């Protein structure tokens, strides 16, 4: 319906604004230099951020062609996960944002970066690598809609992969407590990533876990724990 299409468009616009604003800064530490494969030159993070913020403005203005006509959510298997307090032998610790009222398990030794308005609510980065990054981002959406307004997990994953010129690997729906989350796995020249999408308390939440292809296998079990540990409440 027109209402459902509008709701979907608004939710995806919120996601793409967050994605464009945070994509340049999520993989590198402040002041680091990153190689540009297309230009064959290096650019500073600050320059990349300016470019990303410009992309965010464009994303907000676009009609999001191709995202406005997802078929109705199809019944798919939902994997139910019991909330776990396991610290994986000390690899992860519980973290709670008391002000915003959400919690997650994060790698115990990684550096934390405070929220950057318009980019992310929180970010953690491996102390010895620039490619291993976890971010939590949120943006407001109209009330009364759930994550299934974005279609099925596979549909969402394929569309996101296509829009970002990445390869779609897999997608699933996971229910942890009261939250239904879509987890999509993508791969590209920049490495490997999993993104968890969920809607709760009037916000679209995005939990993104990234690593280089070389380091993905070493981090994927921790990332799996992090994704399903997100709760929109204090632990």
């Amino acid at each position: 319906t027109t209402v459902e299409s509008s709701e979907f468009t608004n939710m995806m616009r919120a996601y793409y604004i967050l994605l464009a604003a945070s994509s340049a800064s999520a993989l590198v530490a402040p002041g680091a230099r990153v190689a540009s494969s297309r230009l064959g030159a290096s650019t500073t993070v600050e320059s990349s951020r300016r470019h990303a913020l410009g992309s965010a403005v464009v994303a907000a203005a676009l009609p999001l062609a191709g995202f406005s006509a997802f078929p109705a959510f199809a019944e798919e298997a939902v994997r139910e996960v019991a909330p776990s307090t396991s610290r994986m032998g000390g690899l992860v610790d519980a973290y709670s944002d008391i002000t915003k009222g959400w919690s997650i398990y994060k790698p115990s030794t990684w550096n934390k970066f405070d929220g950057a308005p318009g980019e992310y609510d929180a970010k953690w980065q491996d102390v010895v690598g620039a490619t291993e990054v976890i971010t939590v981002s949120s943006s407001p959406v109209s009330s009364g809609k759930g994550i299934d307004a974005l279609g099925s997990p596979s549909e969402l994953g394929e569309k996101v992969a296509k829009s970002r010129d990445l390869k779609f690997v897999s997608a699933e729906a996971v229910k942890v407590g009261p939250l239904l989350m879509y987890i999509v796995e993508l791969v590209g020249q920049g490495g490997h990533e999993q993104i968890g999408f969920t809607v709760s308390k009037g916000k679209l939440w995005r939990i993104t876990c990234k690593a280089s292809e070389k380091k993905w296998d070493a981090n994927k079990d921790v990332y799996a724990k992090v994704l399903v540990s997100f709760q929109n409440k204090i632990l």
Side-chain angles (χ1 to χ4, degrees):
T1 65
T2 301
V3 173
E4 290 174 339
S5 176
S6 176
E7 289 287 349
F8 173 80
T9 300
N10 290 337
M11 292 171 74
M12 288 310 298
R13 178 176 289 116
Y15 163 62
Y16 275 101
I17 290 173
L18 283 170
L19 176 65
S22 63
S23 58
S25 58
L27 290 176
V28 290
R33 300 183 71 83
V34 293
S36 172
S37 58
R38 292 186 178 179
L39 299 179
S42 61
T43 58
T44 62
V45 173
E46 287 74 17
S47 175
S48 297
R49 282 176 174 167
R50 286 195 296 269
H51 174 74
L53 288 171
S55 299
V57 175
V58 174
L62 289 175
L64 297 178
F67 281 94
S68 60
F70 262 145
F73 175 62
E75 289 291 335
E76 291 190 6
V78 176
R79 179 166 65 94
E80 294 199 16
V81 179
S84 171
T85 58
S86 169
R87 295 184 56 236
M88 299 182 70
L91 292 177
V92 295
D93 286 324
Y95 171 84
S96 294
D97 187 319
I98 298 175
T99 302
K100 296 185 178 180
W102 59 268
S103 57
I104 198 169
Y105 275 79
K106 51 82 176 177
S108 56
T109 61
W110 287 20
N111 289 329
K112 180 183 179 296
F113 296 85
D114 292 332
E119 295 184 38
Y120 54 81
D121 293 70
K123 180 174 81 170
W124 292 271
Q125 184 171 338
D126 190 356
V127 295
V128 295
T131 63
E132 296 96 291
V133 175
I134 295 170
T135 58
V136 176
S137 306
S138 66
S139 57
V141 294
S142 298
S143 61
K145 290 292 181 178
I147 192 64
D148 55 356
L150 299 181
S152 72
S154 295
E155 289 167 340
L156 175 61
E158 289 172 353
K159 290 291 186 178
V160 172
K162 183 178 180 180
S163 70
R164 295 177 52 199
D165 196 24
L166 298 174
K167 179 182 177 182
F168 169 66
V169 178
S170 65
E172 65 170 338
V174 179
K175 193 170 188 295
V176 186
L179 289 184
L180 177 64
M181 177 180 289
Y182 286 1
I183 298 177
V184 302
E185 184 174 348
L186 310 169
V187 65
Q189 290 185 348
H192 216 120
E193 64 183 271
Q194 281 186 311
I195 310 172
F197 297 89
T198 189
V199 174
S200 178
K201 298 180 181 178
K203 288 188 176 182
L204 171 64
W205 295 88
R206 179 171 60 95
I207 301 89
T208 304
C209 301
K210 297 183 179 181
S212 66
E213 196 63 39
K214 181 179 180 180
K215 295 186 177 182
W216 180 255
D217 284 344
N219 288 280
K220 64 181 182 181
D221 289 342
V222 170
Y223 285 173
K225 164 70 175 183
V226 168
L227 285 165
V228 300
S229 72
F230 176 81
Q231 290 290 310
N232 200 3
K233 65 180 181 179
I234 302 300
L235 289 175

